[in-house]
Amino acid sequence: MSLRRQSREDSWDSIHLSEASREGSDSDDDDYADTSMDEESEFDGAESNLNSLPLLTVGDVQRALHPLQATADRVGKQVEEFAEILDRLSTREQRKGQKDYRHVLPLVLSYRKIAHDTVEELKSIHSPEKQRQMTTRWKRKLRSSSGGSTSRSTHSEDDSGSTLKTTVEDLKRWEQEEQTWDLLGRMVQVEYPIPQPEAQDFESNEDLIRPHKGPDVHRYSSEKDVWARFLAEDDLAWERHTVVEWLKKCADSSGQDIELVAKGLEVNAERGIGIWADSWLYTKEAIKGQKLLRSWPQVLDPEAPGIETSFLNSDRTQGLITQLDPDAITRQGRKLENNDHYFERAMWLACWQLLRRGKSWDYVREWCRERVEGWRAVVMRGDPRSSDSKDEKLRGTKPLAASWLTRALWRKTCAVVAKRGGVDKYENAVYGILSGYLPSVRRVIDTWDDYLFAHYNSYLLRQFDRYVISNFPDRLPKALVEKHGCFKISVTAGRRTLSGNQIITKMKTLQRTGKEAREPFKALQGSLIAKAFDDFLHSQGVQLALSANHPERSKIIPFVKVNDPDAHFSSSITMNDHDLLRVITHMLFIFQDLGLDIGNGDRRIAAENLVVAYVDYLSKAGKQQLLPLYASRLSSKRARDCLGRQLASIRDHGERQTFIRLMKQNGIDVTGVLNRQLLLIISDNPPETIHVSTFPRLHVLQATKDDRDLVHPIRKDFIGDCITNDEQDLINAFEWYLLVEGHWQQTLSTGTALYKHLLRTSSLAAARKLSKSVTFSNISLSKTQEILGRTQDISQTLEVSDDEGEPNTGVGSTRSRQSRGQRRRRSSSTRRVHNERQLLLEQSRSFRDFEALFAVLGAIEEWKTIADDVSNFPDPRQDARAWKKMLPKAYERVETLMYPLLHGWLQFPKDGSHKCSPSSFCLLTDHDADSEATEFEQIRVACLPELVLAYNAIVNHSGYYISRDILLKSMDLAAMVAAEESDLTVCFSTAGRMPELVDSLALSSRNMIQAEEQGSRGGKAKSKRKPDGALLGLWTLKAAPLT
């Protein structure tokens, strides 16, 4: 097993373990168990309810966190099985191989098995209720065929399922899914066949293997051999045969059991249970009574005197037949007793179902024999597709004693009967199936499946007759054709043959089948039969976009213009059709494995909408570990968009690491996804300012009434703690970069762009939280291993070099020379690491500058809070110890953090050597060095004047409460602003705030003078000399004595 394959297996094992641990605290009951028997009443009293309140489990918490967790719990097993099979059986290596069904058929069969197992589980619960519903439908069919009415059942179909986790509708839907996977398996073998020599070696389902050309067919070959040769040579015939056999299987698997149908009809025929052998019971009794009345020893003659007026049915409205042979009704033109007429219709309905379901000859013969209706079995033996009976196989005899010519003539005779009419429309339909006479079958159909079966069966038999005439003329002599006029009957009643696509389209317009044809699974099955799956994808993708963007625009499904003229025929798929989305998504992948090209532009967008919607469902259901597998099948841009939308729901650190590993494993551009996530969040809520290219001024200072005499005080809570959900998503999105190895410059560029965005939108609280959540130290520790070879926080001072302090061991000269060589090598390595560290520091300068900005803003806000508390102390002497510790520390923190902003802050834009990838977040502000320099200048103008004035206000306040010597910092600040190498003067001038700076510094000077004078009068000690020699006493002014 390859390393990649082993990695995939390990991934699925870890998923199973995590799911098992999640479900460990939940109930071990089966997902489809009936819980209604153990439920207690909700109205047992308040005390009982309080005492019986259940404790929350891990499963309950999961369901609260994920809106669709309840649905996911029910179908979670199927969802994960589908994903695991997709990952294991459908790989990129296989998609590069041959475009035949051998690689995808195991995938289809596995999906069908999942659906089949689910159907079996649901049948154990809901089969009785479904049988009741179908029995009611059969009764309605029989009564409607005679024009009577039927009473509705008083049984409530919803009573038994109201408290179940599943319903009968779930059973029906899973049956449809199983049928759809079965159809796909058959159709891919038709459309993507394996070359005949290789097909014989490929294991497949027996009923899906196409007959191959065997020995030559001659005059005396059995009809079965001719039929097999016909299917082997004609591709269209094989396709129609495949569809017909699938329709038979669907009718047999999802329909009511024939035995239950017969049992129900016995009761409604009013003849009890188990006495079907009496056939026309009531009519037979009437004939016996008439013969006794007339003392008639022989067969009752229909022409006997008085028969027309005396021998009538119980209603005295119609004459009864006088003989009991099967043709008596049509030959005499007379009727049966009403109960017998119902029995006759029921028998033909049962025969119709036997043929419609493709029952074997053994089953049909035995079924008719039990009811003493053997002649009906003989009628249904004329189908060339009938399998050999077990007795004939054991005896080694031919399937039929009659020659093939008799069977051809028999089919045409059946067409005559079907055309001219029999006892009931179901009798005509039986003969229509045998002969392919389409009009008689169409009279009894009321479902999508029946309509399709009627046409495909008719076209197939007509195609077979033409094949025999053209390829084996000696088997059907011209004299026989001319002798019997039945050979001139058209089985389609003169209508042209329709293609599969035309039939599917027509059913959407018919009243009987239109509604069903627009149901999602029928529309999907129709697209497979019509070979129009790509058109189906486009239509469903457009419908999904319409529903997802109404009434509000969707963030994950883009709006698509409707240009499809058949859009109104499409099923209305929505984001909540999770099962349908699952089926369509996996079918799309299968067809892509077979070489399907979904196109570009709107067609690709529409098709990929379905996959994106399914990925969104998996995310909401808590199946995040499955998302990379499905997103890898999308186009690269759509995959980035899709996953970029889903990353916000993953908060756990371990889950994030697993998700990144899975993205790499599935070949997804990880950094592209992370960058796209940020762009999508910002695009959802663009800046509201008119000029988004400018940066608003900071508002740290509070406006006062008298701007000439007072230093503006600092606003309280000017940063605040209000962070919107989108801003929190941005912070969470940037945290993902810590988990990506390398990508140093891209991470820092993204962080810088994110800071600029938050500044542009005045989101100071979010920016401060970002500076604390993703610090430069964290980035350094997470990425230096790959760059420097070891994990290191490069923001801290380098450790002592390895070659420093090498002890003298006193060994010989050879050892000494080796030690010197080792020290030189270590010294060279240390210099290399030092140079790389310096380079990393230079590349991260802008990011660290922004981090420093919000660090000092946070320190100023913290200082303001402490300063207000000090001012509000009721007794400063009592609380002196507390504020003397807090306020100096707060001031020292502001002073320390303010220093970097006063010395070359944000003056080094990128040099242009780093280029963003096409999917990078820095596309938001991807400018050259000159453009970024302009931005940095705008930020300096917007921030530095306000920060300098705020800092000076803190100095003035701290000089009053802490020490007068702090007031000297104002003079240092004035010197910094006036220095030639400083651009603070330019910032103040550009911002138009130079007068405010002059007033603030002047007020500081006055405060220093007043502080020294107060100290001198108070007899306080002289000011301490600062490290640079400065003294506050320098500012003491004394007037000279007057002379």
Side-chain angles (χ1 to χ4, degrees):
M1 181 182 295
S2 65
L3 292 177
R4 183 185 179 195
R5 194 74 229 162
Q6 182 63 45
S7 176
R8 287 181 176 271
E9 296 294 335
D10 294 341
S11 298
W12 284 110
D13 292 339
S14 64
I15 290 177
H16 294 327
L17 288 175
S18 64
E19 290 297 327
S21 62
R22 177 185 299 177
E23 296 172 359
S25 59
D26 293 339
S27 174
D28 293 331
D29 294 340
D30 187 78
D31 288 340
Y32 299 104
D34 187 348
T35 60
S36 61
M37 300 301 294
D38 299 327
E39 293 184 354
E40 297 180 357
S41 174
E42 298 179 358
F43 307 100
D44 292 337
E47 182 178 355
S48 175
N49 289 336
L50 290 175
N51 294 333
S52 61
L53 285 176
L55 295 176
L56 291 178
T57 64
V58 176
D60 297 328
V61 176
Q62 288 289 340
R63 281 183 284 274
L65 292 176
H66 302 291
L68 299 178
Q69 190 64 46
T71 304
D73 289 342
R74 191 184 63 177
V75 298
K77 180 178 67 174
Q78 292 83 2
V79 167
E80 291 177 2
E81 286 179 349
F82 268 77
E84 185 173 355
I85 291 171
L86 173 67
D87 188 39
R88 288 177 173 170
L89 297 183
S90 179
T91 64
R92 290 178 176 84
E93 288 77 9
Q94 290 177 348
R95 293 200 292 271
K96 296 178 182 177
Q98 296 178 339
K99 304 303 180 183
D100 54 46
Y101 69 80
R102 78 182 79 186
H103 295 311
V104 301
L105 189 58
L107 198 65
V108 177
L109 296 179
S110 298
Y111 292 155
R112 187 184 69 178
K113 184 179 183 302
I114 295 174
H116 176 75
D117 293 342
T118 307
V119 168
E120 293 302 315
E121 292 180 10
L122 292 173
K123 277 185 176 180
S124 63
I125 304 172
H126 303 295
S127 183
E129 183 178 353
K130 182 185 176 185
Q131 295 295 337
R132 285 195 300 268
Q133 294 178 3
M134 300 193 72
T135 300
T136 303
R137 183 184 174 192
W138 284 118
K139 295 176 182 177
R140 189 177 298 114
K141 271 190 174 185
L142 283 175
R143 297 191 181 278
S144 62
S145 66
S146 61
S149 60
T150 180
S151 59
R152 296 185 178 272
S153 173
T154 58
H155 175 74
S156 175
E157 297 176 359
D158 296 330
D159 290 344
S160 61
S162 59
T163 57
L164 294 179
K165 294 181 180 180
T166 57
T167 65
V168 178
E169 295 304 318
D170 292 319
L171 172 58
K172 294 178 181 178
R173 198 212 58 74
W174 275 103
E175 285 178 340
Q176 286 186 328
E177 180 173 336
E178 180 187 3
Q179 295 167 5
T180 305
W181 287 119
D182 187 24
L183 174 62
L184 178 64
R186 295 170 184 266
M187 294 307 294
V188 295
Q189 294 187 66
V190 172
E191 295 183 49
Y192 305 94
I194 300 177
Q196 196 62 243
E198 301 178 31
Q200 298 178 6
D201 300 331
F202 184 79
E203 294 184 2
S204 180
N205 201 333
E206 237 179 78
D207 59 347
L208 300 180
I209 298 178
R210 182 177 183 178
H212 56 84
K213 297 179 181 179
D216 293 339
V217 177
H218 49 80
R219 179 180 179 86
Y220 301 103
S221 298
S222 67
E223 189 174 21
K224 183 178 180 181
D225 295 336
V226 179
W227 179 261
R229 186 64 174 264
F230 165 61
L231 296 180
E233 293 181 354
D234 196 316
D235 293 337
L236 179 58
W238 171 241
E239 178 184 338
R240 287 172 173 169
H241 170 78
T242 301
V243 174
V244 168
E245 293 302 311
W246 171 74
L247 290 168
K248 290 179 179 179
K249 184 177 179 180
C250 292
D252 190 37
S253 61
S254 61
Q256 189 178 18
D257 185 22
I258 290 291
E259 296 301 328
L260 294 178
V261 174
K263 184 177 179 181
L265 296 179
E266 287 180 2
V267 176
N268 286 275
E270 298 181 4
R271 57 187 63 226
I273 304 288
I275 53 175
W276 280 70
D278 291 313
S279 188
W280 298 336
L281 177 63
Y282 295 94
T283 304
K284 182 191 299 184
E285 292 299 322
I287 294 175
K288 287 182 178 180
Q290 187 70 16
K291 292 173 68 175
L292 290 175
L293 180 63
R294 294 174 174 268
S295 299
W296 204 278
Q298 64 269 23
V299 176
L300 192 61
D301 188 358
E303 302 298 332
I307 287 293
E308 290 288 340
T309 58
S310 61
F311 193 41
L312 303 176
N313 60 7
S314 57
D315 295 337
R316 313 300 296 176
T317 56
Q318 294 177 325
L320 293 178
I321 60 173
T322 60
Q323 299 169 7
L324 297 176
D325 61 282
D327 294 331
I329 301 174
T330 54
R331 185 180 67 253
Q332 297 180 3
R334 302 174 72 87
K335 302 296 182 182
L336 298 171
E337 279 287 2
N338 293 336
N339 290 345
D340 291 336
H341 185 62
Y342 180 90
F343 167 80
E344 184 68 9
R345 292 199 312 271
M347 283 297 298
W348 284 117
L349 174 59
C351 292
W352 150 263
Q353 281 297 314
L354 291 173
L355 291 178
R356 176 66 181 83
R357 302 182 185 196
K359 290 296 184 179
S360 66
W361 165 244
D362 284 322
Y363 186 93
V364 172
R365 183 183 59 182
E366 191 63 27
W367 192 89
C368 293
R369 179 184 297 172
E370 290 176 357
R371 291 155 179 82
V372 196
E373 297 286 339
W375 67 274
R376 300 182 195 268
V378 174
V379 168
M380 292 183 282
R381 189 67 178 95
D383 193 338
R385 296 163 291 189
S386 299
S387 59
D388 301 343
S389 67
K390 296 179 181 178
D391 294 341
E392 290 169 346
K393 289 181 179 180
L394 292 175
R395 292 195 306 266
T397 58
K398 292 185 177 181
L400 278 182
S403 67
W404 187 87
L405 296 178
T406 307
R407 302 184 76 173
L409 181 59
W410 179 251
R411 284 199 299 276
K412 290 302 180 180
T413 305
C414 290
V416 174
V417 177
K419 180 179 180 181
R420 296 180 180 177
V423 176
D424 184 71
K425 62 180 181 181
Y426 284 103
E427 179 185 4
N428 298 335
V430 168
Y431 290 116
I433 290 179
L434 296 172
S435 63
Y437 188 71
L438 183 58
S440 64
V441 183
R442 292 181 60 177
R443 296 190 187 101
V444 301
I445 60 177
D446 56 358
T447 66
W448 187 90
D449 287 17
D450 290 344
Y451 189 93
L452 188 63
F453 173 81
H455 284 76
Y456 267 66
N457 178 75
S458 175
Y459 296 162
L460 182 61
L461 290 178
R462 184 175 70 164
Q463 192 177 356
F464 178 60
D465 288 338
R466 291 180 175 179
Y467 172 82
V468 173
I469 293 175
S470 60
N471 291 275
F472 307 101
D474 56 333
R475 296 179 64 89
L476 193 61
K478 185 177 181 181
L480 180 65
V481 176
E482 294 177 350
K483 178 179 179 182
H484 298 279
C486 58
F487 283 96
K488 298 180 181 180
I489 295 179
S490 172
V491 294
T492 59
R495 298 185 179 182
R496 64 184 182 90
T497 303
L498 303 177
S499 65
N501 195 6
Q502 290 172 330
I503 296 174
I504 299 299
T505 303
K506 185 177 181 180
M507 282 194 289
K508 298 176 182 178
T509 63
L510 298 178
Q511 182 177 1
R512 286 181 293 178
T513 58
K515 181 179 180 181
E516 186 180 5
R518 286 187 288 272
E519 292 179 358
F521 273 100
K522 288 305 177 186
L524 175 56
Q525 294 170 3
S527 69
L528 297 176
I529 294 172
K531 301 179 182 179
F533 184 72
D534 54 342
D535 294 332
F536 171 80
L537 285 176
H538 178 253
S539 175
Q540 296 300 307
V542 171
Q543 290 292 332
L544 182 66
L546 292 176
S547 62
N549 288 277
H550 180 78
E552 297 179 355
R553 286 296 180 95
S554 172
K555 292 183 178 181
I556 63 173
I557 305 296
F559 181 77
V560 180
K561 294 182 179 179
V562 181
N563 297 321
D564 186 3
D566 296 330
H568 61 285
F569 288 146
S570 303
S571 58
S572 299
I573 187 173
T574 66
M575 297 288 291
N576 296 324
D577 295 330
H578 309 132
D579 293 326
L580 180 62
L581 290 171
R582 170 176 49 80
V583 173
I584 296 177
T585 295
H586 289 86
M587 281 193 180
L588 169 60
F589 296 160
I590 289 172
F591 276 103
Q592 285 180 325
D593 288 349
L594 292 170
L596 174 66
D597 183 10
I598 59 177
N600 297 307
D602 290 342
R603 292 190 69 86
R604 174 171 287 275
I605 292 174
E608 291 185 341
N609 282 346
L610 302 165
V611 181
V612 172
Y614 183 62
V615 170
D616 182 65
Y617 159 65
L618 292 176
S619 177
K620 292 179 179 178
K623 306 292 183 182
Q624 279 81 6
Q625 292 178 325
L626 305 180
L627 306 188
L629 173 64
Y630 290 92
S632 65
R633 293 302 198 98
L634 298 168
S635 59
S636 57
K637 181 181 182 303
R638 196 69 187 273
R640 292 194 296 267
D641 289 347
C642 176
L643 293 182
R645 288 292 186 187
Q646 307 301 337
L647 292 182
S649 62
I650 305 176
R651 301 294 180 87
D652 181 74
H653 180 77
E655 291 182 0
R656 287 179 173 180
Q657 288 181 320
T658 301
F659 198 87
I660 287 180
R661 177 174 57 81
L662 292 174
M663 283 196 290
K664 292 179 180 178
Q665 191 178 84
N666 286 277
I668 297 175
D669 179 13
V670 176
T671 56
V673 173
L674 302 185
N675 296 330
R676 190 61 182 165
Q677 179 190 16
L678 290 169
L679 274 177
L680 291 172
I681 297 173
I682 293 176
S683 63
D684 291 340
N685 295 276
E688 297 180 358
T689 56
I690 299 176
H691 303 289
V692 294
S693 60
T694 62
F695 294 87
R697 195 187 85 177
L698 291 180
H699 293 284
V700 180
L701 301 175
Q702 183 177 348
T704 59
K705 296 180 179 179
D706 192 350
D707 293 338
R708 295 173 298 175
D709 298 333
L710 298 176
V711 174
H712 295 286
I714 296 175
R715 296 171 56 196
K716 185 176 182 180
D717 296 331
F718 63 89
I719 296 180
D721 56 2
C722 181
I723 300 177
T724 65
N725 292 334
D726 292 316
E727 292 169 351
Q728 183 61 51
D729 288 342
L730 284 175
I731 297 172
N732 296 336
F734 191 56
E735 291 175 352
W736 282 84
Y737 285 83
L738 297 178
L739 305 177
V740 181
E741 297 177 354
H743 296 87
W744 174 263
Q745 286 184 278
Q746 187 171 2
T747 301
L748 295 171
S749 297
T750 303
T752 300
L754 186 54
Y755 274 123
K756 287 190 288 187
H757 169 75
L758 295 175
L759 268 178
R760 186 177 284 112
T761 57
S762 299
S763 304
L764 300 184
R768 178 174 61 177
K769 186 171 183 180
L770 174 64
S771 67
K772 294 181 178 180
S773 300
V774 188
T775 64
F776 177 72
S777 296
N778 292 339
I779 296 176
S780 177
L781 291 173
S782 66
K783 298 184 180 297
T784 50
Q785 175 66 39
E786 183 176 339
I787 302 173
L788 301 179
R790 61 178 178 177
T791 301
Q792 183 182 13
D793 183 0
I794 63 174
S795 63
Q796 304 297 325
T797 305
L798 277 176
E799 298 178 358
V800 180
S801 301
D802 294 336
D803 60 335
E804 295 179 3
E806 181 74 12
N808 188 357
T809 59
V811 195
S813 59
T814 304
R815 179 74 175 268
S816 178
R817 287 194 297 271
Q818 292 176 353
S819 298
R820 287 195 296 271
Q822 292 175 357
R823 286 197 298 269
R824 282 195 297 270
R825 287 192 294 271
R826 285 198 295 267
S827 177
S828 175
S829 175
T830 302
R831 286 194 298 271
R832 180 181 59 81
V833 172
H834 176 76
N835 293 335
E836 290 178 348
R837 174 182 178 273
Q838 290 302 119
L839 177 62
L840 296 180
L841 286 174
E842 292 178 5
Q843 294 172 345
S844 62
R845 187 188 300 270
S846 297
F847 181 86
R848 290 185 287 113
D849 283 348
F850 278 109
E851 190 176 89
L853 169 64
F854 292 100
V856 75
L857 287 175
I860 292 174
E861 187 181 63
E862 181 182 358
W863 178 90
K864 172 63 176 176
T865 302
I866 296 174
D868 287 348
D869 292 340
V870 171
S871 302
N872 295 329
F873 281 156
D875 187 357
R877 291 174 297 178
Q878 182 180 356
D879 300 312
R881 292 183 179 180
W883 67 261
K884 279 187 176 181
K885 290 183 179 179
M886 294 187 296
L887 193 60
K889 288 184 178 180
Y891 167 75
E892 291 175 2
R893 176 173 170 78
V894 172
E895 183 181 11
T896 302
L897 295 175
M898 189 67 191
Y899 182 83
L901 277 76
L902 299 175
H903 299 82
W905 180 75
L906 217 60
Q907 290 185 342
F908 299 92
K910 62 185 180 182
D911 57 5
S913 61
H914 170 61
K915 297 296 183 182
C916 296
S917 63
S919 61
S920 177
F921 171 74
C922 58
L923 282 175
L924 189 65
T925 54
D926 190 14
H927 309 306
D928 53 21
D930 294 336
S931 299
E932 188 167 69
T934 302
E935 281 189 336
F936 283 0
E937 181 63 27
Q938 293 175 356
I939 296 174
R940 289 169 56 80
V941 171
C943 299
L944 285 180
E946 189 80 358
L947 289 174
V948 170
L949 293 174
Y951 175 64
N952 193 49
I954 293 175
V955 169
N956 277 276
H957 189 280
S958 300
Y960 176 79
Y961 279 95
I962 301 175
S963 173
R964 293 173 297 164
D965 296 335
I966 295 178
L967 294 173
L968 290 172
K969 295 296 181 180
S970 294
M971 298 301 99
D972 295 341
L973 184 61
M976 291 180 189
V977 174
E980 292 183 1
E981 65 273 10
S982 174
D983 70 336
L984 292 176
T985 304
V986 177
C987 293
F988 275 95
S989 300
T990 305
R993 307 187 70 178
M994 186 60 75
E996 295 181 53
L997 177 63
V998 173
D999 292 342
S1000 178
L1001 293 176
L1003 185 59
S1004 299
S1005 301
R1006 187 182 68 181
N1007 290 339
M1008 284 189 288
I1009 296 173
Q1010 293 175 350
E1012 183 62 23
E1013 290 178 349
Q1014 293 173 0
S1016 299
R1017 289 195 298 268
K1020 293 184 180 181
K1022 292 183 179 180
S1023 302
K1024 296 180 180 181
R1025 185 179 296 274
K1026 299 298 179 183
D1028 56 358
L1031 281 172
L1032 185 59
L1034 176 66
W1035 297 92
T1036 302
L1037 299 180
K1038 296 182 179 179
L1042 295 175
T1043 56

